[in-house]
């Protein structure tokens, strides 16, 4: 158990819908990261936060947004969902930027 | 910009044989390097990290990695493979521009009985 929690574990939704994925970092960690993992694209970095501030973006679509709240939990919002958004979404946390990351168990999103 | 290249998307070894997973990095400054493992249906788990101290780094589950600056390599090894080592392994480097962790494409390790 890494100490990072993600909810929900599984999510099945239809195209065009919007979903919110939630992440609670390890106690004491200030940085949160989001990744998307699929069979064809592999592990893709989406976005990272430090203490509530966005610090770097990766291959995150405009339909996707995220934020880190004052209590340090983070949410990833995915809207206008397409079939190709079906993937595993991981959250990770670290004590600060650039340090080893601890990954949550992931949310498996299926868009039908 | 920092990057890592993992040689071989799939590697097969026999149970009890040496495991060698290759990773080469690109970095203009002394790098921070990591190896992660991902078991089926789980998140990534840190195996070990190099942060410019000892060049031979020991990790969990009997794995170790050696930092070789002259070869820009950080290969992962384990003397004797177990069936439970079957997983995907990711090499990663810290970007000194924005402190992102940049992951390689991963190597899937298969253990043959």
């Amino acid at each position: 158990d890494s100490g990072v929690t993600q909810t929900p574990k599984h999510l099945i939704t239809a195209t065009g819908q919007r979903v919110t994925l939630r992440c609670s970092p390890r106690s004491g960690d200030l940085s949160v990261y989001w990744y998307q993992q699929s069979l064809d694209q592999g592990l893709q970095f989406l976005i990272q936060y430090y203490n509530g501030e966005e610090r770097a973006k990766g291959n995150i679509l405009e339909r996707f947004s995220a934020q880190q709240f004052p209590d340090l939990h983070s949410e990833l919002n995915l809207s206008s969902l397409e079939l190709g958004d079906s993937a595993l979404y991981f959250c990770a946390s670290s004590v600060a930027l650039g340090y080893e990351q601890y990954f949550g168990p992931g949310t498996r999103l299926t868009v039908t | 910009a920092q990057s890592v290249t993992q040689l071989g998307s799939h590697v097969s070894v026999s149970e009890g044989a040496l495991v060698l997973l290759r990773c080469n990095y690109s970095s203009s400054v002394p790098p921070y390097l990591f190896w992660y493992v991902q078991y089926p249906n789980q998140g990534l788990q840190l195996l070990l990290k190099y942060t410019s101290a000892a060049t031979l780094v020991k990790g969990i589950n009997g794995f170790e990695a050696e930092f070789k600056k002259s070869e820009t390599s950080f290969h992962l090894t384990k003397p004797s493979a177990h069936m439970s080592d079957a997983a995907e392994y990711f090499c990663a480097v810290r970007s000194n521009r924005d402190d992102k962790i940049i992951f390689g494409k991963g190597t899937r390790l298969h253990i043959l009985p």
Side-chain angles (χ1 to χ4, degrees), chain B residues 30-87:
Chain B
Y32 276 27
L33 293 160
F34 309 87
W35 274 101
Y36 285 83
V37 61
Q38 185 180 25
Y39 298 104
N41 300 312
Q42 295 186 27
L44 280 70
Q45 179 183 359
L46 181 70
L47 267 179
L48 50 80
K49 63 180 180 181
Y50 168 78
T51 57
S52 73
T55 56
L56 183 63
V57 182
K58 294 190 183 300
I60 61 171
N61 302 338
F63 284 93
E64 62 183 34
E66 186 172 9
F67 173 73
K68 290 188 176 180
K69 184 178 178 181
S70 60
E71 298 177 8
T72 61
S73 69
F74 190 55
H75 301 332
L76 182 70
T77 60
K78 180 173 180 177
S80 176
H82 288 192
M83 296 300 291
S84 59
D85 294 326

Side-chain angles (χ1 to χ4, degrees), chain B:
Chain B
Q2 281 79 7
S3 65
V4 289
T5 302
Q6 292 185 242
L7 301 175
S9 58
H10 291 265
V11 170
S12 295
V13 302
S14 297
E15 193 174 16
L18 171 72
V19 175
L20 171 59
L21 303 182
R22 300 177 188 272
C23 173
N24 287 92
Y25 69 90
S26 169
S27 177
S28 57
V29 298
Y32 276 27
L33 293 160
F34 309 87
W35 274 101
Y36 285 83
V37 61
Q38 185 180 25
Y39 298 104
N41 300 312
Q42 295 186 27
L44 280 70
Q45 179 183 359
L46 181 70
L47 267 179
L48 50 80
K49 63 180 180 181
Y50 168 78
T51 57
S52 73
T55 56
L56 183 63
V57 182
K58 294 190 183 300
I60 61 171
N61 302 338
F63 284 93
E64 62 183 34
E66 186 172 9
F67 173 73
K68 290 188 176 180
K69 184 178 178 181
S70 60
E71 298 177 8
T72 61
S73 69
F74 190 55
H75 301 332
L76 182 70
T77 60
K78 180 173 180 177
S80 176
H82 288 192
M83 296 300 291
S84 59
D85 294 326
E88 188 152 24
Y89 292 79
F90 294 88
C91 181
V93 65
R94 185 179 79 173
S95 164
N96 70 324
R97 183 167 62 89
D98 53 15
D99 289 327
K100 276 189 333 193
I101 304 298
I102 299 166
F103 287 86
K105 293 186 183 300
T107 297
R108 188 165 294 278
L109 176 64
H110 304 270
I111 309 297
L112 307 173

